[in-house]
Amino acid sequence: MTRPIDDGSIAAQIRQAYSTRNLDALAPLLAEDVTWGDPGTPRGCRNRSDVLATFSRLMADGVDGEITELSQGNSGMLCGLAAHWPDGTGKPDR
């Protein structure tokens, strides 16, 4: 079960790191076993290094994004993201 949270300390740090594109600030906020993407998708991220490498590559490709939701659960946080590709397709080239 998740519940919406206000911009308390962890949420504020996540929003700040993401909005400023600061992966060094984001890294310690991610669990080592963080996941990103649909579980059945082979391209999904399954740990902190995967997420940071993917974000780094996307930023280098000019992808921008925003946090659409941030909710706290019993054992972590759920962060919804919307990505905006520079060509306007909304899809990666690869």
Side-chain angles (χ1 to χ4, degrees), residues 59-84:
M59 289 187 314
D61 288 346
V63 176
D64 195 11
E66 63 185 304
I67 292 177
T68 59
E69 72 175 295
L70 196 53
S71 298
Q72 182 174 344
N74 294 331
S75 51
M77 298 187 76
L78 169 73
C79 185
L81 302 173
H84 309 285

Side-chain angles (χ1 to χ4, degrees), residues 2-51:
T2 62
R3 62 186 183 280
I5 58 172
D6 60 23
D7 276 345
S9 117
I10 297 292
Q13 290 175 60
I14 290 171
R15 286 185 189 282
Q16 177 68 18
Y18 190 78
S19 69
T20 60
R21 303 167 63 101
N22 185 340
L23 297 181
D24 290 334
L26 183 62
L29 301 172
L30 300 174
E32 181 54 43
D33 62 348
V34 64
T35 60
W36 182 46
D38 294 329
T41 304
R43 292 173 44 171
C45 299
R46 301 296 174 252
N47 59 54
R48 180 186 303 139
S49 295
D50 285 353
V51 171

